Amino acid sequence: MAEKSNLTVAERISLFRSGRSSVVESTRETLRNITEKNPSLNAFIEVWSEEAIRNAELLDRKRTSGEPWGPLFGVPIAMKDNMCVAGRICSCASQMLANYRPTYGATVSERLVAADAILIGRTNMDEFAMGSGTEYSIFGKTRNPYGGIEVDTAPAGYSPGGSSGGSAVAVAAGMVPLALGSDTGGSIRQPAAFCGVFGLKPTYGRVSRFGLIAFGSSLDQIGPFANCPDDLELLFQVIAGHDRRDATSLSNTSLEHAKTKTPDKPLSEMRIGVIREHSAQELSPDVRTALEETERHLKSAGAMIVEVSLPKQEHAIATYYIIAACEAASNLSRYDGMHFGHRAQRREASESLESVIAASRGEGFGPEVKRRILLGTYALSHGYAEQYYQQATRMRQAIREDFAAAFAGVDLLLGPTTPAPAFAIGAHSQDPVAMYLTDQFTVSANLAGLPAMSIPIKLEPLNSADSTLPVAIQMHAPPCGESRLFAAARSLHSRNQMIETGAMT
Amino acid sequence: MDSHNPAETTQDVTVETICQLERLAYLRLSDEDRGSFVNDLRKILGYARSLASLDLKDFAPQTHAIDQDNVMRGDVIEPSSSVEEALANAPVVAGSFLQVPRVLE
């Protein structure tokens, strides 16, 4: 039997249907695979082995009972550690929530269970999803399965990106076929690009945020990681949909036109805009070549390629980091060490409430979270709010209008996901602005609420070692235009497979 | 994005600024942290300052990603967390209450 980690979701389920594998067997193999690979990669913070096997046993009983199967029957799924699963610790990789055990499940968790998926464990991330390298975690750094260790340039290996680095690595290393991440400024797409997997940030409001621990509420969105577009779409369809428990969840009427899996037009009739401001940036030669190859392929598939301009892109990073920090400072004010989370020991019996709260937060939060709370507090404070926060919210509107104008003439936008492939672990840890700039192509989709996908294009050999790094591109669609992204991704995926198998060079 | 120059910082931020932000955000920092956050905030705000000088009067402030209508629901009582569940993660509990340090002097 082929190694299950390389099977698509449909292939896995067909093994269960034909009786060639039981769900318990398959789950045990997944757990063995994780046990073998996780020590060197640190993708998982916790694996829920016992419950996974128990649930697999229940599903095996269902196989023989004739009950209908859910669309993710017996499929193991990794959860980023910022989505609540009832009764399981959900830490956001933070000391603040190291022992926090939610009493309710996120809507996405409930939808996955209802679809007969097996929740296999929680994955590492940057603390409270703030970071671009999965290095600000109390559970240590996660390593990219690609790139290997290079003594001079990458002594600790390559970064998986972040903040959803654990989920991206779990899928890239074949530990699980599917994982969920969250994307506030690129936290699904950037790690997907660095790890060579597909990653989708859906339209804001398509996937419920209920039970997702908030970072920047007007930007956060949950989305899937997978090794192929079919699996990605399957998981997306399961988690998407209106949820009355999330007031920003899109209503069913606004989703009416987006429910069908078929895009409103075939790829051959699409106009695809290449974002001039992104192409004009300093890109690594690998990323530039990947973009050119993608353009050529889309043209050969019949799509029309045109250049479009998003004039305000140069302000996207500043706008994003101000808004995200302001929303984070506000959201994270709930952690007071009184209702839940870490509480500092009182230094003396008479220490005041305020003092204990400040000490609890000082002990519970790590450096990047503190940096953003300070930045957000500054940008919202009297005398500076007009200059920073107000201006950022105006620029946000300008950026939205740029996209609306572009989508009046094209069906999809094409550009890079990141300026370069994965960086060495620790490369940006001394300069926050340099780290923030790795998100320069991803933050706009969050500001404008648009769906965007990172699509792996190729593996580029590294100079000094016998190893490779993945190279990806990014596509944006108008609101609720996910089906167009899947159509383009499928076409590019077939191309990549033909190149891999030698059918095309 | 090309305009990023690591040397471009703002001198508005001092250790006193950080101390004031600590009070506003209820966040206690070590002396060492304060020093490094002064530098970080100078860099970040130096980078973000480009926004402040732009004329954006024509653009209405936007706090949402997607245009949405207000959401209403019927005024109907529904089950919610029990007291036990609500207190399950509290660091210190006394009976069915959260126990906190003295609030009034």
Side-chain angles (χ1 to χ4, degrees), chain B residues 20-72:
Chain B
Q20 170 67 4
L21 294 174
E22 282 181 64
R23 282 190 294 276
L24 290 171
Y26 283 50
L27 184 65
R28 184 173 299 155
L29 302 175
S30 66
D31 289 342
E32 192 190 343
D33 281 350
R34 281 186 198 112
S36 71
F37 285 135
V38 167
N39 288 329
D40 291 347
L41 249 63
R42 282 182 179 174
K43 269 192 206 165
I44 298 167
L45 291 167
Y47 179 74
R49 205 169 37 178
S50 59
L51 281 179
S53 55
L54 298 173
D55 178 7
L56 297 171
K57 280 195 303 290
D58 292 344
F59 300 100
Q62 180 55 258
T63 53
H64 297 286
I66 294 275
D67 296 319
Q68 280 179 299
D69 297 328
N70 195 10
V71 182
M72 307 288 274

Side-chain angles (χ1 to χ4, degrees), chain A residues 244-455:
Chain A
R244 58 193 298 274
R245 296 183 295 185
D246 172 0
T248 61
S249 167
L250 291 175
S251 67
N252 285 327
T253 38
S254 63
L255 291 177
E256 210 54 52
H257 69 285
K259 265 194 227 149
T260 58
K261 289 182 74 173
T262 352
D264 50 355
K265 59 176 88 172
L267 188 60
S268 57
E269 289 172 22
M270 285 191 205
R271 285 166 62 89
I272 296 173
V274 176
I275 306 169
R276 183 189 301 154
E277 289 74 12
H278 290 186
S279 311
Q281 288 301 311
E282 198 177 311
L283 301 176
S284 83
D286 306 335
V287 171
R288 197 166 288 287
T289 318
L291 275 173
E292 289 162 4
E293 286 175 20
T294 304
E295 268 186 53
R296 270 203 300 279
H297 172 77
L298 294 170
K299 255 187 223 168
S300 72
M304 184 187 284
I305 305 286
V306 295
E307 195 184 66
V308 298
S309 175
L310 299 169
K312 297 290 193 293
Q313 280 305 294
E314 64 175 305
H315 303 296
I317 280 283
T319 304
Y320 169 79
Y321 274 94
I322 294 296
I323 290 175
C326 290
E327 294 191 10
S330 168
N331 270 321
L332 269 58
S333 66
R334 76 190 63 183
Y335 301 104
D336 56 7
M338 300 297 140
H339 297 83
F340 56 97
H342 174 78
R343 184 188 292 189
Q345 291 292 322
R346 286 158 83 176
R347 287 177 298 192
E348 52 195 53
S350 64
E351 189 174 0
S352 71
L353 177 69
E354 287 82 357
S355 173
V356 178
I357 292 175
S360 301
R361 290 163 61 79
E363 291 175 7
F365 293 136
E368 182 62 24
V369 174
K370 287 175 180 162
R371 190 148 43 229
R372 299 207 197 184
I373 290 175
L374 293 172
L375 174 62
T377 306
Y378 181 90
L380 286 172
S381 64
H382 184 71
Y384 297 102
E386 179 59 35
Q387 197 179 340
Y388 290 104
Y389 182 67
Q390 285 295 324
Q391 283 292 90
T393 57
R394 288 179 194 277
M395 183 54 80
R396 182 177 196 173
Q397 177 61 20
I399 288 170
R400 279 181 49 161
E401 290 179 17
D402 271 4
F403 275 109
F407 281 122
V410 297
D411 302 298
L412 290 170
L413 290 172
L414 169 66
T417 311
T418 56
F423 48 81
I425 287 176
H428 295 316
S429 44
Q430 295 312 311
D431 183 354
V433 175
M435 178 65 112
Y436 297 171
L437 281 170
T438 66
D439 299 337
Q440 59 182 294
F441 304 129
T442 49
V443 295
S444 299
N446 303 80
L447 291 169
L450 303 173
M453 189 188 289
S454 181
I455 300 174

Side-chain angles (χ1 to χ4, degrees), chain A residues 6 30 186 218 362:
Chain A
N6 296 326
T30 298
S218 79

